[in-house]
C-alpha cells in the first residue's frame, strides 16, 4: 500500500468533518434541508487546503450530485481522482474510482464503468474494506446485467448471496443482490421467481429503512407485474416508487417511473395519460442526458403512436430509440424493443419485406442474450409479415416457433405461483397491520391503567386537601370532570381499535379459509387420474366458496357482534333497504375497497359501481355528499 499525506485538520477542517459525518449517517433527501447541506459542503470544499479532508468532502458532494446533477458530479469526481493520486490517498482513490464507475454505468457507458469499477475493486481489496468490496462487486454485476449477460450475472449474484448470508452478514448488500436477482429473472422470463426475489428485497429494505433501495425494489416488482399482465399491481408499485422518487428528488428515478407508468397506461389503452407520463419522463431524461432512459421512453412513445395509427410519427421515435440503443448506450435489450416496434410499423404499412428483415435481426439479438419474452414477439411479427407475402407455409412454421416460446414464458403453473406469492405478501402485510393495532391497544390499556392510578391519587389528594381547605371541593369536582372526559376518550379509542382489529382479523380469516379450501382441492386434483373431472371439481369448489351463504351468515353474525347497532340503525333510518344493499353497506362499513367487495360478493367492479349508485339514490344522498362517510357514521 502506498503511503499518503495526511494533513492535521484546521478548525475549518474539523467543521467540515462534522458535516461529512452528518452526510454519511443521514438519509439523502434533496429538500431545503439538504440544499443547506450541499451549500455547507461546497463552502467547505472551496475553502479547504489540498488535503485528504478535501477529497472526502468532494466524495460526499459527488453523492449528492449523482442524483441531482450527474454532469457536475462527473467533473468533480475526475478532479478528486487526480487530487487523491497527488496525495497518495488510497481510500480516496478507491472511493473515487467506484463513484466514476457508478456514474458511467448509469449513463450506459459500460466500458468506462467496467474499467473504473475494476480499479476500485483492486484498491478496496488492498485496503481490505469488506463492505465496499461487496458494493463494487454489485455494481459490476449490474454492468453484466446491462450488457445482457444474464447467466453470468446470475452466477455472480448466487456466489455473493451465499457469502454475505453465511460468512459476512450484510443486510444492505443482501437487499441489493436480491433486487438484482429479481431483475435478472425478469429478463429470463422467470417472473414467479423474480417476484419472490423482489418481495425478499422489499422486506429487507423496510427493515433497514433504506428508502432509496425500496424505490428500486418497487420499480422492479412493478415491471414484473407489467410482464405478467397484472396492470393494477404494476401501476400500484410504480406509483409507490414515483412517490419516493419525488420525496428524494431523484430525477433519474422519477424519469424511470414516469416512463414505466406511461408503459402501463399504454397497455390499458389510456393513451392520453400514457403520453403525459412519457413526455414528462423524456424531458427529465434529456435534461440529465440519460441516454438509456431516452432509448426506452422513445420506444414506448413510438409504439403508442404506431398502435394509434400515427405510424409515421411513431417510426420517427422508434428510429431514435434504435439509434440510442445501438450506437450510444449499446444495450441489446432496448435494441430488440425498438426493432420489434419498427417491425410492427412496417406491417401496418403493408411492407412485409422490410418487416421480415427487421424481425430476423430482432430474433438474432434476442437469442444471443437469452431474451425469450421479446423473442416470441419477433416470431409473431415475422409470422404476420409472411402472411402478408402469402407465404403461409413459412408463416405456419414461425407461428409454431412463436407458440413454443410463448408457452415457455406464460403457463398456468407460473400464474398460480405468482398469485400465491402475491397473496402471501398481502397476508403478511395485513398481519403486520394487525400486530401494529394490537400494540396500539396495549398502549391504550396501559394509558387507561395509568389514568385510573392518577384518578386514585387525585381523589386521595383532594380528600386530604378537603380536610384542610373548605373550598377545595370545587377544584376536586373540576379535576374529576376532566379526568372522566379523558377516561371516556381513552375508552372510546380503545373500543374503536378493538373493533378495527376484529374487522381486519375477520377479513383475513375469510380469505385464508377460501385459500386453504382451494389448496386442499388442488392437492386432490393433483392426485386425480381424470384431469378433466379434476378441473370441473376445482371450478365447482371455487363457485361454491364464492356463493356459500353459510359463510356469509357466519361473517354477518361476527360483523353484528363488532358493529352492534349497525343493522338496526340502518333499518330504522332507511327501512326500504334490501338484504343485498344491507350486505353492501356492511362491507363499506368495514372500509373495504371496491375490488375487495367485488371479490367477496362475486360480482364485477362495474357491478359494484352500479350497486353503489342505486344505494345512493335510495339513501337520497346528493353528489356532493360521501356515501362512505354516511355509512361509517351509522
Amino acid at each position: 500500500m502506498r503511503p499518503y499525506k495526511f494533513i492535521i485538520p484546521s478548525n475549518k477542517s474539523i467543521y467540515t468533518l462534522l458535516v461529512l459525518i452528518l452526510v454519511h449517517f443521514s438519509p439523502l433527501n434533496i429538500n431545503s434541508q439538504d440544499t443547506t447541506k450541499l451549500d455547507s459542503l461546497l463552502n467547505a470544499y472551496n475553502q479547504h487546503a489540498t488535503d485528504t479532508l478535501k477529497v472526502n468532502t468532494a466524495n460526499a458532494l459527488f453523492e449528492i450530485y449523482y442524483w441531482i446533477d450527474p454532469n457536475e458530479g462527473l467533473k468533480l469526481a475526475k478532479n478528486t481522482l487526480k487530487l487523491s493520486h497527488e496525495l497518495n490517498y488510497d481510500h480516496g482513490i478507491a472511493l473515487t474510482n467506484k463513484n466514476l464507475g457508478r456514474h458511467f454505468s448509469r449513463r450506459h457507458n459500460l466500458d468506462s464503468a467496467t474499467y473504473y469499477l475494476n480499479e476500485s475493486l483492486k484498491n478496496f481489496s488492498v485496503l481490505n474494506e469488506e463492505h465496499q468490496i461487496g458494493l463494487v462487486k454489485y455494481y459490476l454485476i449490474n454492468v453484466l446485467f446491462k450488457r445482457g449477460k444474464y447467466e453470468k450475472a446470475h452466477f455472480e449474484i448466487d456466489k455473493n448471496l451465499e457469502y454475505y448470508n453465511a460468512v459476512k452478514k450484510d443486510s444492505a448488500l443482501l437487499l441489493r443482490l436480491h433486487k438484482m436477482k429479481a431483475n435478472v429473472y425478469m429478463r429470463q422470463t422467470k417472473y414467479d421467481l423474480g417476484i419472490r426475489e423482489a418481495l425478499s428485497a422489499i422486506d429487507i429494505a423496510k427493515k433497514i429503512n433504506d428508502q432509496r433501495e425500496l424505490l428500486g425494489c418497487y420499480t422492479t416488482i412493478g415491471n414484473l407485474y407489467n410482464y405478467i399482465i397484472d396492470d393494477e399491481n404494476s401501476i400500484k408499485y410504480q406509483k409507490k416508487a414515483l412517490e419516493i422518487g419525488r420525496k428524494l428528488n431523484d430525477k433519474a428515478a422519477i424519469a424511470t417511473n414516469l416512463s414505466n407508468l406511461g408503459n402501463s397506461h399504454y397497455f390499458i389503452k389510456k393513451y392520453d395519460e400514457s403520453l403525459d407520463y412519457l413526455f414528462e419522463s423524456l424531458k427529465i431524461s434529456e435534461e440529465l442526458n440519460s441516454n438509456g432512459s431516452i432509448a426506452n421512453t422513445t420506444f414506448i412513445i413510438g409504439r403508442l403512436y404506431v398502435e394509434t395509427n400515427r405510424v409515421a410519427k411513431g417510426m420517427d421515435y422508434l428510429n431514435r430509440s434504435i439509434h440510442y440503443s445501438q450506437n450510444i448506450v449499446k444495450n441489446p435489450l432496448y435494441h430488440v424493443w425498438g426493432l420489434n416496434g419498427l417491425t410492427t410499423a412496417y406491417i401496418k404499412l403493408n411492407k412485409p419485406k422490410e418487416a421480415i428483415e427487421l424481425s430476423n435481426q430482432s430474433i438474432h439479438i434476442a437469442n444471443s442474450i437469452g431474451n425469450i419474452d421479446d423473442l416470441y414477439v419477433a416470431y409473431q411479427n415475422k409470422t404476420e409479415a409472411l402472411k402478408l407475402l402469402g407465404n403461409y407455409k413459412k408463416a405456419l412454421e414461425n407461428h409454431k416457433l412463436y407458440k413454443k416460446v410463448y408457452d415457455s414464458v406464460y403457463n398456468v403453473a407460473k400464474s398460480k405461483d405468482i398469485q400465491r406469492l402475491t397473496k402471501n405478501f398481502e397476508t403478511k402485510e395485513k398481519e403486520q397491520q394487525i400486530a401494529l393495532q394490537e400494540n396500539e391497544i396495549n398502549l391504550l390499556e396501559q394509558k387507561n391503567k395509568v389514568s385510573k392510578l392518577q384518578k386514585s391519587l387525585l381523589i386521595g389528594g383532594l380528600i386530604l386537601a378537603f380536610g384542610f381547605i373548605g373550598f377545595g371541593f370545587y377544584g376536586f369536582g373540576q379535576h374529576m370532570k376532566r379526568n372522566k372526559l379523558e377516561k371516556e376518550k381513552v375508552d372510546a379509542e380503545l373500543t374503536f381499535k378493538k373493533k378495527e382489529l376484529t374487522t381486519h382479523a375477520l377479513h383475513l380469516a375469510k380469505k385464508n379459509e377460501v385459500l386453504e379450501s382451494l389448496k386442499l382441492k388442488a392437492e386432490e386434483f393433483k392426485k386425480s387420474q381424470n384431469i378433466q373431472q379434476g378441473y370441473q371439481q376445482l371450478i365447482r369448489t371455487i363457485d361454491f366458496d364464492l356463493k356459500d351463504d353459510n359463510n356469509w351468515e357466519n361473517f354477518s353474525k361476527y360483523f353484528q357482534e363488532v358493529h352492534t347497532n349497525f343493522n338496526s340503525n340502518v333499518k330504522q333510518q332507511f327501512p326500504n333497504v334490501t338484504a343485498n344493499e344491507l350486505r353492501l353497506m356492511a362491507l363499506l362499513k368495514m372500509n373495504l375497497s371496491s375490488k375487495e367487495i367485488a371479490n367477496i360478493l362475486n360480482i364485477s367492479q362495474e357491478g359494484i359501481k352500479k350497486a353503489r349508485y342505486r344505494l345512493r339514490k335510495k339513501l337520497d344522498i346528493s353528489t356532493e355528499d360521501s356515501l362512505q362517510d354516511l355509512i361509517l357514521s351509522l
Side-chain angles (χ1 to χ4, degrees):
M1 185 194 305
R2 298 195 309 273
Y4 58 81
K5 303 174 190 173
F6 188 86
I7 313 295
I8 297 174
S10 63
N11 288 338
K12 286 180 182 176
S13 299
I14 292 169
Y15 162 74
T16 307
L17 187 60
L18 291 172
V19 175
L20 286 170
I21 292 169
L22 286 172
V23 170
H24 182 73
F25 288 104
S26 62
L28 185 63
N29 303 330
I30 307 300
N31 48 34
S32 58
Q33 181 181 349
D34 296 298
T35 302
T36 304
K37 189 188 299 180
L38 176 62
D39 291 342
S40 298
L41 282 170
L42 278 171
N43 184 51
Y45 177 78
N46 290 328
Q47 292 184 32
H48 264 315
T50 303
D51 56 19
T52 57
L53 207 53
K54 190 180 185 77
V55 172
N56 293 338
T57 308
N59 278 315
L61 275 169
F62 173 87
E63 198 59 41
I64 298 176
Y65 281 133
Y66 180 79
W67 304 107
I68 65 169
D69 192 344
N71 294 328
E72 192 64 33
L74 175 61
K75 211 170 14 174
L76 180 67
K78 285 181 175 179
N79 290 333
T80 307
L81 184 61
K82 183 181 176 184
L83 176 60
S84 297
H85 278 294
E86 288 172 0
L87 295 170
N88 290 327
Y89 181 26
D90 290 333
H91 177 80
I93 293 168
L95 193 58
T96 312
N97 275 326
K98 183 187 81 172
N99 288 339
L100 283 164
R102 288 168 63 204
H103 171 88
F104 286 118
S105 177
R106 204 172 199 200
R107 298 292 160 270
H108 281 263
N109 186 339
L110 301 183
D111 290 338
S112 295
T114 302
Y115 169 78
Y116 283 109
L117 289 171
N118 278 325
E119 287 297 304
S120 178
L121 187 59
K122 289 179 200 171
N123 303 144
F124 280 125
S125 296
V126 172
L127 296 170
N128 199 27
E129 294 191 28
E130 192 73 51
H131 179 71
Q132 290 291 351
I133 291 169
L135 281 175
V136 176
K137 286 180 178 178
Y138 162 75
Y139 293 128
L140 282 166
I141 292 169
N142 192 28
V143 171
L144 289 174
F145 173 78
K146 289 179 177 180
R147 289 189 190 276
K149 297 183 178 180
Y150 305 130
E151 288 297 332
K152 190 170 182 182
H154 196 160
F155 174 79
E156 291 295 329
I157 290 167
D158 282 345
K159 189 168 69 175
N160 282 277
L161 275 173
E162 184 179 357
Y163 179 79
Y164 289 107
N165 256 318
V167 181
K168 191 79 175 177
K169 190 76 174 177
D170 190 324
S171 295
L173 287 174
L174 289 171
L175 156 62
R176 287 166 169 81
L177 290 166
H178 280 297
K179 182 187 71 175
M180 180 57 66
K181 196 171 183 181
N183 279 298
V184 170
Y185 276 138
M186 178 165 58
R187 296 299 172 228
Q188 294 176 322
T189 67
K190 298 174 182 177
Y191 303 126
D192 51 338
L193 300 177
I195 286 175
R196 184 189 68 189
E197 295 295 327
L199 292 175
S200 296
I202 288 170
D203 192 43
I204 300 172
K206 285 182 175 179
K207 283 177 182 174
I208 66 175
N209 193 27
D210 190 331
Q211 288 296 299
R212 197 172 292 286
E213 284 301 317
L214 184 59
L215 183 162
C217 294
Y218 282 152
T219 301
T220 296
I221 200 168
N223 286 332
L224 280 158
Y225 278 120
N226 177 62
Y227 274 107
I228 62 169
I229 320 173
D230 185 346
D231 299 309
E232 183 179 354
N233 270 318
S234 177
I235 290 171
K236 179 178 84 171
Y237 281 106
Q238 297 296 355
K239 283 186 174 179
K240 282 185 174 185
L242 181 61
E243 182 182 355
I244 297 174
R246 291 198 191 280
K247 284 180 182 175
L248 298 178
N249 195 27
D250 182 346
K251 292 182 180 179
I254 291 169
T256 297
N257 285 288
L258 285 168
S259 184
N260 289 339
L261 280 165
N263 191 43
S264 294
H265 282 79
Y266 160 82
F267 281 111
I268 58 176
K269 300 189 183 304
K270 292 187 176 180
Y271 298 125
D272 289 340
E273 287 180 58
S274 176
L275 285 173
D276 287 343
Y277 283 122
L278 292 168
F279 281 121
E280 186 181 352
S281 170
L282 186 59
K283 182 182 177 184
I284 296 170
S285 298
E286 287 171 341
E287 288 172 358
L288 295 175
N289 196 26
S290 182
N291 297 321
S293 186
I294 292 170
N296 179 32
T297 307
T298 50
F299 155 69
I300 302 168
I301 295 171
R303 182 182 59 183
L304 187 151
Y305 279 135
V306 171
E307 174 73 18
T308 54
N309 296 316
R310 290 170 279 183
V311 181
K313 198 169 186 179
M315 290 177 76
D316 287 341
Y317 280 98
L318 289 166
N319 279 314
R320 185 182 177 195
S321 174
I322 291 171
H323 169 71
Y324 270 84
S325 60
Q326 185 177 14
N327 302 316
I328 300 176
V329 300
K330 297 178 182 176
N331 186 316
L333 178 68
Y334 293 172
H335 192 188
V336 171
W337 290 352
L339 289 170
N340 281 341
L342 203 55
T343 305
T344 306
Y346 279 121
I347 289 169
K348 281 214 169 197
L349 293 173
N350 198 19
K351 293 184 176 181
K353 289 182 180 179
E354 291 87 341
I356 289 170
E357 184 182 341
L358 288 172
S359 61
N360 284 335
Q361 290 180 46
S362 182
I363 288 166
H364 173 72
I365 298 170
N367 265 320
S368 70
I369 62 174
N371 180 23
I372 304 172
D373 191 75
D374 293 294
L375 178 61
Y376 82 75
V377 175
Y379 278 129
Q380 187 181 33
N381 283 338
K382 189 174 179 181
T383 301
E384 293 301 315
L386 287 165
K387 282 159 66 177
L388 285 175
L389 277 178
N391 193 339
Y392 296 106
K393 184 180 177 182
K394 282 195 174 181
L396 180 60
E397 290 172 5
N398 269 273
H399 178 73
K400 287 177 180 177
L401 290 169
Y402 152 73
K403 193 74 172 65
K404 183 181 177 181
V405 177
Y406 181 87
D407 288 345
S408 73
V409 175
Y410 299 105
N411 59 56
V412 174
K414 281 187 178 180
S415 297
K416 286 185 179 295
D417 282 341
I418 289 165
Q419 289 168 9
R420 175 181 56 77
L421 286 164
T422 304
K423 289 295 180 187
N424 286 346
F425 184 67
E426 290 173 350
T427 299
K428 186 177 178 181
E429 285 197 324
K430 291 274 187 185
E431 287 170 346
Q432 288 172 346
Q433 288 174 11
I434 290 171
L436 184 63
Q437 289 170 345
E438 284 176 339
N439 288 335
E440 289 175 355
I441 287 171
N442 289 333
L443 287 171
L444 287 167
E445 286 175 340
Q446 289 174 14
K447 188 176 179 181
N448 199 18
K449 287 178 184 177
V450 171
S451 179
K452 286 179 180 177
L453 179 62
Q454 287 175 336
K455 179 181 175 182
S456 300
L457 293 171
L458 181 62
I459 291 171
L462 285 171
I463 289 172
L464 184 64
F466 184 74
F468 293 97
I469 307 169
F471 58 83
F473 180 79
Y474 174 76
F476 169 77
Q478 292 299 310
H479 279 291
M480 285 290 288
K481 185 177 179 180
R482 284 196 298 272
N483 197 263
K484 182 181 177 183
L485 290 171
E486 178 65 24
K487 182 180 181 302
E488 286 173 354
K489 181 181 176 184
V490 171
D491 287 344
E493 193 173 349
L494 179 61
T495 302
F496 174 76
K497 286 292 179 185
K498 283 181 175 176
K499 283 184 178 182
E500 191 179 40
L501 171 65
T502 307
T503 301
H504 273 299
L506 287 172
H507 181 49
L508 189 60
K510 172 67 180 173
K511 180 178 70 178
N512 287 344
E513 178 188 338
V514 174
L515 288 173
E516 186 63 30
S517 172
L518 287 176
K519 179 182 174 184
L520 292 172
K521 287 294 177 185
E523 290 294 334
E524 291 174 14
F525 166 50
K526 184 179 177 182
K527 296 173 185 175
S528 172
Q529 296 299 318
N530 190 333
I531 296 175
Q532 185 61 35
Q533 184 181 348
Y535 272 120
Q536 293 302 321
Q537 286 178 354
L538 194 57
I539 291 166
R540 282 198 297 271
T541 301
I542 294 169
D543 287 338
F544 178 79
D545 278 323
L546 289 172
K547 296 175 182 177
D548 185 7
D549 286 335
N550 289 331
N551 282 337
W552 177 262
E553 287 173 11
N554 291 333
F555 180 80
S556 181
K557 182 181 75 173
Y558 289 128
F559 176 83
Q560 289 181 59
E561 288 177 5
V562 175
H563 303 284
T564 316
N565 300 318
F566 180 76
N567 287 359
S568 58
N569 286 342
V570 171
K571 286 293 185 184
Q572 184 179 352
Q573 294 185 46
F574 309 104
N576 295 327
V577 167
T578 65
N580 283 337
E581 287 167 340
L582 184 60
R583 183 180 293 193
L584 174 60
M585 292 175 75
L587 294 170
L588 289 169
K589 176 72 172 176
M590 291 173 61
N591 211 14
L592 299 179
S593 68
S594 293
K595 182 182 176 183
E596 289 169 323
I597 295 172
N599 287 338
I600 291 171
L601 296 181
N602 192 25
I603 59 177
S604 68
Q605 291 192 51
E606 189 61 34
I608 293 296
K609 288 181 183 176
K610 291 177 182 177
R612 289 174 67 119
Y613 174 74
R614 287 193 296 268
L615 184 59
R616 290 179 69 90
K617 288 190 72 176
K618 183 166 282 190
L619 302 185
D620 195 25
I621 300 175
S622 68
T623 53
E624 290 81 16
D625 295 326
S626 167
L627 173 63
Q628 189 81 20
D629 290 346
L630 172 66
I631 291 173
L632 290 173
S633 70
L634 291 172

